[in-house]
Amino acid sequence: MGVLFDMPSAVYGISFVDITCTSVTKGQSLARNQQRNWETVLQIFGLLAQPIILQKPEEHFCNAEDNFIGSELFKGMGKQHQFVVELLKPDTRFWIFAIGSELTDVLQCDKLRDLFDLVPVIPDLNETIKLKPSVFQTLDSELINIQFFPAPTIK
């Protein structure tokens, strides 16, 4: 997350919900449902601007040996998810992506948090957190499962 994007406006997103971009658009499969969640992300961004994908979701893992507990990413997780990670110490799976816009300052993290909150997702894919309810959570400090950070841009 240190790339400088040649865009007027850009954000990084970090999701604990499986949003793998599989490009599968037909059928009923794990890959199709992962793609559906990614399409939901793009549709929400589309409420603010025409999204430009700067980085497709990349899957990452953190575990106790990575000093994940105590990291900024861990601190941004919902408290319920923090408890499970601390208690059970599972590998924690998350996806990092970047979206840009040709409009200056249109992708504001506060606006995105408001738009994403309580939008339904398809659960039980490859995420390591339990989604109950099966929605993106951005405002309930107990259940946060997607976060946004400003990305450095060339203006």
Side-chain angles (χ1 to χ4, degrees), residues 121-138:
V121 297
I122 299 170
D124 304 321
L125 304 176
N126 284 332
E127 62 270 347
T128 51
I129 63 168
K130 293 295 176 203
L131 294 170
K132 294 195 183 203
S134 301
V135 296
F136 283 121
Q137 295 273 358
T138 60

Side-chain angles (χ1 to χ4, degrees), residues 43-56:
Q43 290 167 353
I44 297 169
F45 271 93
L47 295 172
L48 294 176
Q50 180 65 39
I52 298 169
I53 301 169
L54 303 173
Q55 176 184 315
K56 290 181 180 179

Side-chain angles (χ1 to χ4, degrees), residues 20-25 31-39:
T20 303
C21 177
T22 63
S23 300
V24 174
T25 59
R32 177 62 187 127
N33 286 335
Q34 291 168 314
Q35 179 67 23
R36 283 184 174 112
N37 281 348
W38 174 236
E39 290 165 356

